[in-house]
Amino acid sequence: METMPGPDRPHRPRPEKPAMCTREYAPVCGVKRGKRQTFGNACMARAKGYNVVDQGPCGQ
């Protein structure tokens, strides 16, 4: 039998909602686990779990 959350029990964290990003082209370079990738804008990078490290596309 599963116990229900109550005043003395913590609630389970809810999954994050998907990000809704605009299609504005303002390229950024993002990094995740050492992998660098260029995204169309910062929202798109964050939605994929990347941290924005530079404005503009990633360099070679």
Side-chain angles (χ1 to χ4, degrees), residues 15-29:
E16 292 184 25
K17 294 180 181 179
M20 298 294 279
C21 298
T22 65
R23 297 179 117 191
E24 171 189 10
Y25 185 68
V28 296
C29 181

Side-chain angles (χ1 to χ4, degrees), residues 6-44:
D8 58 341
R9 289 183 220 102
H11 292 276
R12 290 183 181 168
R14 295 182 182 192
E16 292 184 25
K17 294 180 181 179
M20 298 294 279
C21 298
T22 65
R23 297 179 117 191
E24 171 189 10
Y25 185 68
V28 296
C29 181
V31 67
K32 178 168 96 173
R33 296 185 200 132
K35 180 183 175 192
R36 297 171 71 90
Q37 184 173 338
T38 299
F39 291 90
N41 61 46
C43 179
M44 292 175 166

Side-chain angles (χ1 to χ4, degrees), residues 40-53:
N41 61 46
C43 179
M44 292 175 166
R46 287 191 298 268
K48 295 288 186 177
Y50 282 72
N51 293 318
V52 175
V53 294

